[in-house]
Amino acid sequence: LKYVDTKVTFSEVPDEISLCINISKCPCHCIGCHSPYLAEDIGDELNLKSLINLLEENNGITCVCLMGGDSEPKEINNYAQAIQKYNPELKVAWYSGKQELSKYIDLKYFNYIKLGPYIEELGPLNSKTTNQRFFKVCSIYDSTRRNWELKLIDITYKFQK
């Protein structure tokens, strides 16, 4: 994976100060995408060393948001695991342009997941007509099975003021 740039934001993950890492080589090619350059194979290699450097350079963040990476979801999962291991107090979010969650994603390494391609006529997350969904990963007790399960709880409404 390669990343093009980073930005600290207050809007990508509700109630978090997020270091957003923009990953290139997006396979989704959404019409009207706000960052079409991310479809290109550009940027610097994202590896464990560069990831740790980014975390160390951005004190005060509460969340790391991996923006893209749909071309290599196994790698996204590995980086989420590394973030949880290196900085367990940080939350981890992933913005995916895919409609369905990849089978390579293990929810135990994530706190938030955004799913869905950008469809211009439906609007972004802050539009009430959006097709995209933003989920919080929650541990919920299943009384039938008598165990805890990780579930995706839709909190898209938090973007729609």
Side-chain angles (χ1 to χ4, degrees), residues 93-151:
W94 181 39
Y95 266 57
S96 169
K98 298 289 186 175
Q99 195 64 47
E100 303 292 326
L101 186 64
S102 169
K103 66 181 180 180
Y104 299 110
I105 297 299
D106 187 339
L107 291 179
K108 71 182 176 185
Y109 302 123
F110 295 87
N111 302 94
Y112 303 97
I113 304 268
K114 190 282 294 181
L115 292 174
Y118 175 71
I119 299 176
E120 198 166 17
E121 58 270 16
L122 298 178
L125 279 170
N126 64 0
S127 169
K128 291 200 182 290
T129 59
T130 188
N131 62 297
Q132 298 178 320
R133 290 290 168 255
F134 191 86
F135 299 98
K136 183 172 186 172
V137 179
C138 294
S139 184
I140 297 177
Y141 187 72
D142 183 334
S143 57
T144 306
R145 294 182 180 167
R146 295 187 174 160
N147 67 349
W148 290 91
E149 295 181 359
L150 293 175
K151 299 278 187 186

Side-chain angles (χ1 to χ4, degrees), residues 1 9 33 36 38-40 42 74 83 89 101 110 143 145:
L1 284 179
T9 74
C33 174
L38 291 176
E40 299 173 40
I42 56 174
K74 278 186 188 177
I83 293 164
E89 73 281 0
L101 186 64
F110 295 87
S143 57
R145 294 182 180 167

Side-chain angles (χ1 to χ4, degrees), residues 63-76:
C63 182
V64 177
C65 187
L66 301 165
M67 307 291 286
D70 286 300
S71 60
E72 298 184 50
K74 278 186 188 177
E75 289 297 309
I76 292 297

